[in-house]
Structure formats: C-alpha cells, structure tokens
Amino acid sequence: MSRALEELVGTAAAISAGAIITLDEHSDDVPEALQVVPDLIRFIAETLCARGAPSEDDLVRLDRYLTRLTRRYGTMHGVIDAISVGRRRHALISTECATAWSQCMAVSSSAVEMTMKRHTTLQHAVQKWLGTHVAFSDGAKAYQTWLDGELEGFDDQGESRPMEPRLRRVAPLNVPSIPIHDGSSKSTRSEPAPPRVQPAIVPMVEPKSASSIRPALRRHGNEDVEFLWRTVFEDKRPLEAPGERQLSDKQLLAIERLRASQEPFERAVASCAARDFGLADSFLPHLDGRVDSELLAMLRGHRYDLEGRFDEALEQFQSASPDDDDPAAQRALAIALLRARKGSTRARFGDSIRLLRAMYENLPEESLDGARGAALLGFALMHAPIGDRTDNVDQSVICFERALEVLTRTEHGPWWAETNHYLAVALLEVRGEKRNHAVERAVECLEDALKVWTRDSDPGHWAAVQTSLGMALERRPAGERADNLMRAIEAFSAALAVRTRESHAVAWARLQSHLADAWMQFPSGDLRQNIERAIAGYAAAAEVWARESRRADWASVKHRLGVAWATVPTGDDAERQRNLREAVTCLTSALEVRTRAAMPLEWGLTQHQLGVTLLHGAQKGDAAPVKQAIACLKAALVVRTRDRQPVLWARTMAALGEALAWMATGAPDKFLSKAIEAHRQALAVLTEQTHPVEYQPIAGRLESLLQASADAPVPGLRDD
C-alpha cells in the first residue's frame, strides 16, 4: 500500500496543463496514456469537496474548476498549493482538505505515507479509491511515459517547427479594447501589435562581467517586454501572494501584443506574466542557447515565483548570479531565499539578510531601490530565526522608517501600505520604556495602510491589517480602555468577514482567539455575556486546531478556555462547580501537550492556573482537590523561580499560601506556619509600591493568618 500511496500522490501532483490541453483536443478519443487523468481529477474533486455528500453537479463544477486552474498553474501540485494557502477559493472546496493534499505532495515519496497518516480522512479516501481502481498503477506508469515522451511541435534539437499547430489553437487572452494615448493625440486602437524594434532572440553572448541583466534585456528593444518585466516580474513584495496580483489594463494589452509576436521569447514573457504556465513551459525549454543564459534563468525564476514554486525560483535566480548593480534582480534573489522551503532556514535567512544589508548600505537613501531594499531588510530581520530578537526588532523599525522617508502613498501605494503594516507589526514587539509610544505609532501606521487597502480593492491585505489593528488597539495604553477594546473587537470582526472558516480555517481560528481575548478583557456591559462570547470563540478555535493537528495552538486555546470557564460569574453554587470542573478538564487537556520537557514556561503557566482553579472549587470537608492544587503550584515553582521570573514566582507563592491556609483550617500545626511564610515571600516581591492592587489582598490575608497564629500559637512560627 505504501508504494501505491506514493504513486497516486506523485501522479496527481504531476497532472499537467499539457495533459489537459491534449485531452481537450482528443475529447472523442482519449489517448490510453491519459485515461488516468480524468479519474484522478474526479477523485481529487471528491476529496476536496466541503460537502459531505456532493451531488454529481457539484463534482462536475469542481472538475471544470480544477481543470481550468491546472491550465493556469501548469500542474495540479501548483493548483493544490494555491488553494491551500487561500490564493484560490471556491465555495465547494475545503481549504483544510487542500492543505492535506498540499502537505502530501510537498514531501519526498518516502515520506508520503507518514504525512498522510496525519490526515486520516484523506488516507481512508485514498485507500478506498485504490481498492476500487486496481489498474491504477498501470495507468500511472503510462502517464509518466507520456510525460517523458517527445514534445509535439518541436524537433529533437529543440527547434520549433513553423507555428506549432497545437499552440496556434490556444485561445489568445481576451482583453477588451481600451483607449491608448501616444502622447500627442488621442485615438482608440484595436489593430495588431506595433512592429518590433529588434527580434527577441539574440545570438549566444559571452558570460557577463560588469554588465547587469537589465542592460542585457534592453538590447531586445521591446518596450512591452521591458514594461512587463519591470511591473510584473520585478515588483515583488514579500507578503504578497505572487500569483494573486490583478493585472492592469495596460499590462493586459502588453501581454496581448506580445502573444501576437512570432518570437518565442516574447510569447514566453507574455505567458509567464499572464500566469499561463502550461503555455510558457512549451516555450522556455527551447530558448536555451538562443537567449542570454542569465536572462533566461531570471525569466524561469520569475515564472516559478508567480506559481508559488519558490524552491525552483531560488535555484534559477542563484544560477543567474545577478550583479551588484542590478538591485531588482538582487531583490528577487533575496525574496526567494526568504520564501523557499528546502534547506536550512537559518542559512537562507542569513544569506538574504547579508544580501539586503549590502543593498541597504550601498544604494542611495533617496532612491526607490534603496527604499524597497530597506523595507525588505526590515521584513527579513523581523522573521529571522537568527540573531538577538530585540536587536532584530529595533533594526527592522529603523529600516521601515527609512523606507517610508522615500515611499509615498500617491506614487507607491502598495509598497507604502505594506511597509506601514510591517512597521506596525515590528512596533508591537517593542518592549521597555518605548512600548507605549511604539503601540501608538503602530495604530497610526495601520490606519494609514487602510487608506490604500480597502475591502473591495484588496480584501486579503485589508483583513490582515484589520487583524493587526485589533491587536494594537487591544494593547493600546492611551485613551479609554473600553473604547480601545471595542474598536479591537470591531477590527477582528471585520477581518472575520473576509477570513471565513471555509476559506481560511487557520486565520479564522486565530481571529476567533483574538476576539475571545478582547471579550475576556472588556470592562463594560454584561460581564457574564462577555465571558460567554469568549468561551464560544475559544471553543470554535479549538475545533480548528484539533482538525489541523496544530497541537501547540490547540493547547494554548484550551488553557485560555479553562481560564474563561473558571471566571464565569454566577450566584448558583451548583453551576459554579460545573464551570470549574469544565475549567479543570480544559487545563488538564492542555497539559497533555504543554509538557515540562517540551514547553517549560507554558507548562508552568498551566500548572499554576490548574492549581488556582482546583483551589477555587474546593469544598468544605474535601481536601483532595486542595492537595492536588498544592502539587500543581509546587510544580509551577520548579520553572517559575524567583531569579528568572520574580513576579510570576510571587503570584504562585501567594496561591500556594492560600492553599496551605485552607489545609491549616484542619491541621494548623502542620500547615499554618507554611502558609504564613508563603504569603511573606510573595509580599517581598509584590510590594505596596510596585504592585498595589495585588499587595492589598495578600497583605490582608497574611494579617488574618497571623491573627489566627496568635489565637492558637504554632511552634516554630517566626513572628517578625
């Protein structure tokens, strides 16, 4: 079965645009080598469908949708990746199911079975399908043989035969005629493309020395190639999904003119820019030796980048070896290093940061290339798994601020908005004395970004900024607390209108958690209703984390769910006990993931909360929960030491003192002195000057314990 699983996943991932085109051309007589393709597409549609029992009409719709996307992205692997990360959405498709397929397709063949075991629904569906398609292996081998076979329309030397008949039948891009202005007079044109200045195919050139790729490109003299190269290929922003940017009317017209060209290079550029990867791949292999090798490597890199195949893009950009005086190509390489998945993440980020830092230091501060390089360096530092985190954050803030000295809303709208968003995210990590000012500045930056990104124009970025704005407002020290939290709730709710559970399950779960956090802190209105809203949000998030096998996120939200259940206000003692039992269940579940070995700080936090919750649920005459609470609190103190976390240590000591005081009601000789000592140690840190709110109840409790010791003296008690 292991071999069959590997074969099925590999064949499904390799379904290509060429296979789809060939099937369309032979719809009445499907070639034997391609008979497996329609069956696999139908199976993928069945497993992706969000409905438990899809109708035949549903599956036909999904078949057509997947087929169209395969023509666009080049392979089914590219299609599944685009759906799994939310670049493509369909009402009938489950993002979670697409993620399962994507993860199985992304690993090596030997790891397919292990990866699929994490997605039991897909695993069962695959096993069932293989059981009913006993001849699948023969079909898969025939399809692989077809893939490796001769290319129709080209000879064995890679030379194209006159106007390849298959490519001639591919419909051109359907672009409506719009006015074009030539600078002197206005006219509406729909005639064929203007004559080319020079052919795109040039003789082989000597290896580059001091020249950059961009001058080599300009030797072709085609303004449409130049325009698309500059505005589609080189204008990369790290958080933007490369294949999702909408093409402008001007770009579409340039693509249409290049597609009418007789030169394969120009048609390859047009196909890449239009994300018609199947068509692009029919040209690119035959340009070797006929186009500047570095230029061709850059084109291939941009083609892979637009499809989201970042490891292949990186390989091409590295083979091009862009010169220092070609900042656009340098940026493409730097971003590919950040986006790639293979190899050491630390090494890739280190290489990218060194490359961007050199650009930062060498390019003029007032230049657009310098500003873009500074913004990318800030982004790389913010996400770097290397170096000191505090230093990285501080340096990234400097980089973003420098970039914004050049970037403007009117001339560089998307770059300006994205840099404001990056800067805000960095500012939210600033600590110490500058924190309050940083949070206020972050709110300003996010509000600026929303002036460019609206829900209608760019819903994805708009939702991301709304999420960050909610987090900033939740932490904002200035203004009324209730007003800030209400604005945060509104921002999270707005983002949820775009990040739905069906289309963005992971983002939806995070937003539910953020929204629940805000309701837990909201100081106005009905307190019980606020906490019940928080419970609903945490519970919804926990369902997603469980299905997505994100154990750390699941444990975090289960901890917070436990805290919420423990704080539900009620005057009914029976209801209170039920809520506390629910809280204990949630916290105990969290400790299944939050172990001391794997997550010591989180383990200590949950042990503390579990101890406090057990203590609150203790009833007269039943010491068992209190003994368990004492064990939890002592466990928390193993990692919450006075040296490393003095405030947290003091809070746990105060809770331990309270538990010991409860036990002292029945055995003062054994527990009273320990309870008094624990309260005293807590007050050594939580002083009246530094923590007045926490000091008062602990000091009051200590006073009552000392009074009890005076009424019934305890041997060995220090009366100081």
Side-chain angles (χ1 to χ4, degrees):
M1 180 59 73
S2 174
R3 175 59 184 163
L5 290 176
E6 297 169 11
E7 197 168 42
L8 185 145
V9 171
T11 306
I15 293 175
S16 68
I20 300 299
I21 293 171
T22 304
L23 285 171
D24 288 346
E25 294 173 351
H26 300 84
S27 57
D28 296 332
D29 184 21
V30 177
E32 183 178 353
L34 299 183
Q35 288 179 358
V36 72
V37 173
D39 291 342
L40 267 181
I41 293 176
R42 170 54 63 93
F43 174 60
I44 294 170
E46 291 172 350
T47 56
L48 289 180
C49 191
R51 297 179 180 175
S55 66
E56 179 63 22
D57 288 343
D58 291 338
L59 294 175
V60 169
R61 288 175 60 192
L62 287 181
D63 282 351
R64 292 173 179 169
Y65 183 67
L66 293 173
T67 298
R68 288 196 300 271
L69 288 186
T70 304
R71 292 181 66 128
R72 169 61 63 89
Y73 286 96
T75 64
M76 184 61 73
H77 190 176
V79 173
I80 295 298
D81 279 349
I83 296 172
S84 68
V85 299
R87 298 203 306 272
R88 291 288 177 180
R89 307 181 192 106
H90 193 286
L92 292 175
I93 290 181
S94 164
T95 305
E96 298 171 33
C97 297
T99 300
W101 270 109
S102 177
Q103 291 177 1
C104 292
M105 290 179 176
V107 299
S108 62
S109 59
S110 60
V112 167
E113 184 177 18
M114 184 178 298
T115 304
M116 194 170 287
K117 285 181 179 178
R118 300 203 298 266
H119 306 284
T120 54
T121 302
L122 177 60
Q123 183 184 28
H124 293 157
V126 168
Q127 291 172 343
K128 181 179 179 181
W129 191 86
L130 287 172
T132 58
H133 291 74
V134 293
F136 166 72
S137 182
D138 293 337
K141 290 182 174 65
Y143 177 61
Q144 186 61 51
T145 301
W146 179 86
L147 283 174
D148 296 335
E150 182 181 353
L151 284 171
E152 181 182 344
F154 293 90
D155 63 25
D156 58 2
Q157 300 300 310
E159 297 296 329
S160 59
R161 300 184 179 118
M163 286 301 293
E164 307 84 17
R166 175 196 287 181
L167 297 180
R168 190 189 304 177
R169 287 195 290 270
V170 177
L173 206 63
N174 184 18
V175 184
S177 298
I178 62 173
I180 301 179
H181 306 298
D182 61 6
S184 58
S185 62
K186 299 181 180 179
S187 63
T188 301
R189 295 167 34 181
S190 58
E191 60 265 27
R196 291 174 292 104
V197 178
Q198 290 180 340
I201 299 183
V202 298
M204 284 292 290
V205 297
E206 293 295 324
K208 66 179 182 181
S209 54
S211 62
S212 68
I213 289 176
R214 187 177 293 220
L217 174 62
R218 286 178 176 153
R219 283 201 299 273
H220 297 299
N222 188 299
E223 293 182 359
D224 287 331
V225 171
E226 279 292 307
F227 173 68
L228 292 176
W229 201 279
R230 184 180 68 255
T231 62
V232 177
F233 299 156
E234 293 182 342
D235 187 17
K236 300 182 189 297
R237 303 192 303 276
L239 283 186
E240 181 182 50
E244 284 297 290
R245 187 186 299 183
Q246 296 297 313
L247 296 172
S248 68
D249 289 338
K250 188 175 180 180
Q251 289 168 334
L252 290 170
L253 281 170
I255 289 170
E256 185 180 36
R257 288 192 291 268
L258 290 177
R259 276 189 157 174
S261 169
Q262 297 300 308
E263 299 297 345
F265 176 79
E266 293 177 3
R267 295 176 71 185
V269 169
S271 300
C272 290
R275 287 83 152 178
D276 192 342
F277 303 119
L279 190 57
D281 289 343
S282 66
F283 292 112
L284 289 171
H286 309 288
L287 297 177
D288 289 313
R290 308 175 70 195
V291 174
D292 178 279
S293 59
E294 290 84 0
L295 174 62
L296 185 55
M298 291 300 296
L299 178 58
R300 285 182 170 132
H302 292 309
R303 171 256 182 274
Y304 288 130
D305 180 72
L306 286 170
E307 193 182 2
R309 294 166 61 179
F310 302 125
D311 291 306
E312 291 98 325
L314 176 58
E315 291 176 3
Q316 293 298 324
F317 292 145
Q318 287 175 327
S319 69
S321 301
D323 290 328
D324 294 339
D325 58 354
D326 190 355
Q330 293 275 331
R331 285 198 307 272
L333 175 56
I335 293 176
L337 285 164
L338 300 178
R339 287 174 169 168
R341 298 175 182 175
K342 293 180 181 177
S344 166
T345 302
R346 294 172 63 88
R348 286 190 286 99
F349 267 80
D351 290 343
S352 182
I353 288 171
R354 281 188 289 273
L355 182 61
L356 291 167
R357 197 181 294 280
M359 294 175 62
Y360 180 90
E361 294 170 352
N362 297 327
L363 289 170
E365 292 187 6
E366 67 280 2
S367 70
L368 180 58
D369 283 324
R372 288 175 171 174
L376 291 176
L377 176 58
F379 177 87
L381 289 166
M382 271 296 296
H383 294 81
I386 55 178
D388 180 79
R389 183 62 184 168
T390 301
D391 289 344
N392 288 350
V393 170
D394 291 343
Q395 289 183 50
S396 68
V397 169
I398 294 172
C399 291
F400 294 138
E401 293 283 18
R402 171 181 163 180
L404 288 173
E405 292 174 0
V406 177
L407 301 172
T408 65
R409 176 185 172 186
T410 54
E411 295 184 21
H412 321 100
W415 271 95
W416 181 80
E418 198 151 337
T419 304
N420 268 296
H421 188 191
Y422 297 159
L423 175 57
V425 173
L427 288 167
L428 291 178
E429 289 202 32
V430 171
R431 297 292 180 264
E433 297 177 356
K434 298 179 180 179
R435 179 181 181 276
N436 291 354
H437 173 73
V439 172
E440 200 64 27
R441 173 82 172 107
V443 172
E444 294 174 2
C445 292
L446 293 166
E447 289 174 340
D448 280 344
L450 289 174
K451 295 174 183 176
V452 173
W453 287 330
T454 66
R455 180 176 178 179
D456 292 335
S457 67
D458 200 326
H461 280 109
W462 178 82
V465 175
Q466 289 285 4
T467 302
S468 297
L469 179 59
M471 296 169 65
L473 290 165
E474 186 181 350
R475 305 175 194 180
R476 189 182 195 182
E480 292 292 331
R481 180 66 174 156
D483 292 342
N484 288 336
L485 284 172
M486 180 50 69
R487 287 187 60 194
I489 288 169
E490 291 171 352
F492 292 138
S493 299
L496 281 169
V498 173
R499 306 290 196 197
T500 65
R501 183 171 184 171
E502 292 73 22
S503 63
H504 299 84
V506 171
W508 181 85
R510 288 204 179 101
L511 279 165
Q512 290 289 352
S513 295
H514 289 317
L515 189 58
D517 289 342
W519 280 119
M520 280 293 292
Q521 302 171 68
F522 195 64
S524 302
D526 186 327
L527 178 59
R528 180 186 176 98
Q529 186 180 58
N530 295 344
I531 295 178
E532 287 175 345
R533 287 168 172 165
I535 288 173
Y538 290 140
E543 289 181 10
V544 173
W545 297 140
R547 278 206 301 272
E548 295 285 334
S549 300
R550 301 175 74 103
R551 291 171 58 79
D553 291 316
W554 178 84
S556 175
V557 82
K558 290 294 281 189
H559 172 98
R560 285 180 280 174
L561 185 56
V563 173
W565 275 114
T567 53
V568 174
T570 178
D572 185 335
D573 188 62
E575 182 186 7
R576 179 172 176 272
Q577 289 298 321
R578 286 196 301 272
N579 293 343
L580 289 172
R581 285 195 295 272
E582 189 69 37
V584 168
T585 300
C586 292
L587 294 165
T588 304
S589 298
L591 287 173
E592 295 174 6
V593 176
R594 290 184 159 187
T595 64
R596 179 182 174 185
M599 309 169 73
L601 298 181
E602 292 81 359
W603 176 79
L605 174 63
T606 303
Q607 288 283 9
H608 169 93
Q609 188 61 45
L610 180 56
V612 171
T613 303
L614 287 164
L615 182 59
H616 287 169
Q619 294 180 304
K620 187 176 181 179
D622 184 7
V626 184
K627 291 179 180 179
Q628 187 180 352
I630 291 172
C632 291
L633 294 167
K634 287 183 176 180
L637 289 171
V638 174
V639 293
R640 288 185 160 193
T641 65
R642 183 169 183 174
D643 292 337
R644 290 186 297 177
Q645 297 177 309
V647 174
L648 297 180
W649 170 84
R651 289 170 180 162
T652 302
M653 285 299 299
L656 178 60
E658 191 64 31
L660 291 167
W662 194 99
M663 296 295 293
T665 58
D669 291 354
K670 186 176 181 181
F671 294 105
L672 186 54
S673 63
K674 295 179 180 178
I676 291 172
E677 185 63 23
H679 280 82
R680 282 175 169 162
Q681 290 193 52
L683 290 176
V685 174
L686 302 175
T687 67
E688 189 173 11
Q689 293 73 31
T690 60
H691 298 80
V693 175
E694 294 178 90
Y695 172 83
Q696 291 299 332
I698 299 173
R701 184 61 169 150
L702 176 59
E703 184 177 354
S704 66
L705 291 172
L706 289 170
Q707 182 62 47
S709 71
D711 295 340
V714 179
L717 175 65
R718 299 201 311 267
D719 190 17
D720 52 359

